[in-house]
Structure formats: structure tokens, C-alpha cells
């Protein structure tokens, strides 16, 4: 009997995506654009954290946001209204993650919108001489602790938010997510007295998965600790653009 051809689909999909992601990072480096991939479970406070962070940085660097969701444009509208930066919504068509090609499509659309906005501003004032291209693009990935961690989006750095109500043991249950992230933001520290959440134990578990991960506790609602994340991000963007 002839042997049938066996295709390792999952492996081939990941390998192709990794090549696309590396190529995209190379293009971003040439253009001087820093892409941050922000991940978390639903309800962890991604959008609120972004609003607090962007409002601390928008006068220092040019920022744009891509909001990824299965449906709706709620977060993209919220970001634009609260910060004034360019924001577009990406619908994934039911998929629980973005891959490198989907991210590329989003970036292309975002840059087109950024040019349109810049052209409109130039028509209002002759003093505007800044380029339309953002220095920093933030991708708010689909809320999920599994799928987004499996696909390289082409981002320069990966970040995630873990909220206190989720529990301090999440690094043990979702190892890949914590191992691929350069920075872990622990949000909602204001409610720690009401939950059985051990901050030091959580940090220990995170560093078990990723010894190099930067851990930043914050309260996005009040802004406590957000400055530390903003400073980390500004430093990373500056180094990338050198």
C-alpha cells in the first residue's frame, strides 16, 4: 500500500506566520515604527490602561492604536474620544487572535488613515510639519489568554495585563502567554484587599515562566503605577528608533 502524505498543518501554519512576522518587524524597523502587542483576558482593563498610558505619552511621541475584536467598534471609539489619537477597529471574523498578515493589513489601513488626518490638519494650519507616520502603534489584541500568545504578530515587544480578580496563579495555568511577554502589568491593585491575591507569589510565578519579564503593578482606574509603564514604553520606543 502506498504511503499517504501527512501534512503537519499546525507546524506549517506557525512556521509561515513566523516568517511573515520577522519580515514585518524588519519593515517596521526600516520605517522607525514601534509595534506593541498588548494581550490579556477579557475585562482585565486593557483599554483603560491604554487611555491612561497614551495621555501620558501623546505629547512626546506620535501614537496610533489598532483595536482587535470579534465584533463592534466600542474600544476604538473609546480610545479616540479619550485620547484624540488615531484609532481603528479590526474585526477578526470570529477568530480569537491576530497573526502577522492580519496585523500587516491593519497597519496598512492605519497608516492610510494617519495620512488622511495629517493632510486634513495641514489644510487648517501651515505650521504643522510633522510626518503622518506614528512612532508607536499599539495593537490591543483579542481578549484571550491562549490563542494570541501562539501567533507572532510581528510586534517589537509583547505586553500583557493580568488583573487581580483573575488570581495570582494564572502564570501557572497559562505558561505560554507569560513566557512570550516582555512586560506583565498587574492591574486593579486597588481591590487586592478584597481578593485572595498574593502579589509577591504572582511575581514569583511570572519569573518562573520568564525570568526577564518586567512586572509593573498598576491601578488603571486611578492611574497609580501607570507612569512606570509609560516610562518603560517610551524607553523601548526610543531604543527601537535609534
Amino acid at each position: 500500500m502506498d504511503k499517504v502524505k501527512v501534512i503537519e498543518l499546525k507546524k506549517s501554519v506557525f512556521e509561515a506566520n513566523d516568517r511573515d512576522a520577522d519580515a514585518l518587524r524588519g519593515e517596521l524597523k526600516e520605517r522607525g515604527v514601534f509595534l506593541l502587542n498588548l494581550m490579556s483576558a477579557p475585562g482585565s482593563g486593557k483599554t483603560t490602561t491604554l487611555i491612561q498610558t497614551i495621555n501620558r505619552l501623546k505629547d512626546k511621541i506620535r501614537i496610533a492604536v489598532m483595536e482587535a475584536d470579534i465584533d463592534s467598534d466600542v474600544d476604538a471609539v473609546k480610545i479616540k474620544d479619550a485620547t484624540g489619537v488615531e484609532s481603528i477597529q479590526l474585526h477578526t471574523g470570529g477568530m480569537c487572535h491576530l497573526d502577522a498578515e492580519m496585523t500587516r493589513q491593519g497597519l496598512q489601513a492605519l497608516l492610510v488613515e494617519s495620512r488622511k488626518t495629517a493632510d486634513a490638519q495641514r489644510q487648517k494650519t501651515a505650521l504643522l510639519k510633522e510626518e503622518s507616520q506614528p512612532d508607536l502603534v499599539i495593537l490591543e489584541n483579542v481578549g484571550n489568554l491562549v490563542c494570541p500568545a501562539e501567533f507572532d504578530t510581528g510586534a517589537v515587544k509583547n505586553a500583557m495585563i493580568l488583573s487581580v480578580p483573575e488570581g495570582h496563579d494564572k502564570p501557572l495555568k497559562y505558561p505560554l502567554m507569560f513566557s512570550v511577554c516582555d512586560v506583565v502589568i498587574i492591574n486593579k491593585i486597588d481591590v487586592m484587599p478584597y481578593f485572595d491575591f498574593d502579589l509577591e507569589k504572582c511575581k514569583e510565578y511570572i519569573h518562573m515562566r520568564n525570568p526577564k519579564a518586567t512586572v509593573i503593578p498598576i491601578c488603571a482606574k486611578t492611574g497609580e503605577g501607570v507612569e512606570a509603564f509609560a516610562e518603560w514604553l517610551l524607553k523601548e520606543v526610543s531604543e527601537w528608533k535609534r
Side-chain angles (χ1 to χ4, degrees):
M1 179 183 297
D2 293 337
K3 291 184 177 180
V4 298
K5 185 175 182 180
V6 178
I7 301 174
E8 297 292 344
L9 183 59
K10 185 175 181 180
K11 180 180 179 181
S12 64
V13 168
F14 284 150
E15 286 180 348
N17 183 72
D18 289 346
R19 288 193 297 270
D20 290 345
D22 286 339
L24 179 55
R25 259 188 299 275
E27 295 168 23
L28 291 171
K29 181 65 175 178
E30 290 180 3
R31 300 190 68 153
V33 176
F34 184 100
L35 175 63
L36 176 74
N37 178 31
L38 180 62
M39 301 175 283
S40 80
S44 66
K46 290 193 298 298
T47 305
T48 305
T49 300
L50 285 185
I51 290 171
Q52 289 273 13
T53 304
I54 291 168
N55 281 332
R56 285 166 169 76
L57 294 176
K58 65 182 182 181
D59 293 331
K60 301 176 182 178
I61 54 176
R62 296 183 295 272
I63 304 172
V65 178
M66 298 189 295
E67 290 284 346
D69 281 300
I70 292 174
D71 204 352
S72 91
D73 62 356
V74 172
D75 289 341
V77 171
K78 187 182 295 184
I79 288 285
K80 196 160 192 174
D81 288 347
T83 67
V85 304
E86 196 68 52
S87 177
I88 64 170
Q89 189 75 46
L90 308 180
H91 285 169
T92 64
M95 298 183 70
C96 59
H97 68 275
L98 265 70
D99 59 22
E101 177 55 31
M102 295 162 72
T103 302
R104 181 191 296 277
Q105 293 177 35
L107 283 167
Q108 290 171 343
L110 181 64
L111 293 175
V112 168
E113 290 303 310
S114 296
R115 283 194 293 270
K116 287 181 181 178
T117 300
D119 289 343
Q121 289 175 321
R122 289 191 183 95
Q123 290 176 5
K124 295 178 181 179
T125 173
L127 298 178
L128 183 65
K129 297 181 180 180
E130 291 185 346
E131 298 177 6
S132 60
Q133 175 179 281
D135 302 301
L136 166 66
V137 175
I138 302 173
L139 168 63
E140 183 177 333
N141 216 315
V142 182
N144 191 307
L145 287 181
V146 181
C147 303
E150 295 182 330
F151 288 84
D152 189 341
T153 60
V156 182
K157 295 289 182 179
N158 292 312
M160 76 158 294
I161 299 176
L162 171 68
S163 65
V164 165
E166 295 173 68
H168 61 258
D169 59 355
K170 283 297 178 290
L172 302 179
K173 298 179 179 181
Y174 300 92
L176 182 60
M177 173 61 75
F178 289 87
S179 66
V180 301
C181 286
D182 302 281
V183 60
V184 177
I185 301 164
I186 301 177
N187 190 24
K188 306 184 183 181
I189 58 173
D190 56 319
V191 300
M192 274 201 297
Y194 308 104
F195 289 87
D196 185 19
F197 188 94
D198 187 326
L199 181 58
E200 294 308 312
K201 185 64 70 174
C202 185
K203 291 178 180 179
E204 177 186 335
Y205 292 157
I206 291 169
H207 289 134
M208 282 173 56
R209 299 305 186 190
N210 186 349
K212 296 182 179 180
T214 298
V215 180
I216 305 176
I218 72 164
C219 173
K221 183 178 180 180
T222 65
E224 180 184 354
V226 175
E227 189 64 35
F229 175 54
E231 290 176 358
W232 177 88
L233 192 49
L234 185 61
K235 177 177 178 290
E236 294 293 333
V237 173
S238 299
E239 291 180 353
W240 177 253
K241 292 175 70 67
R242 286 177 185 170

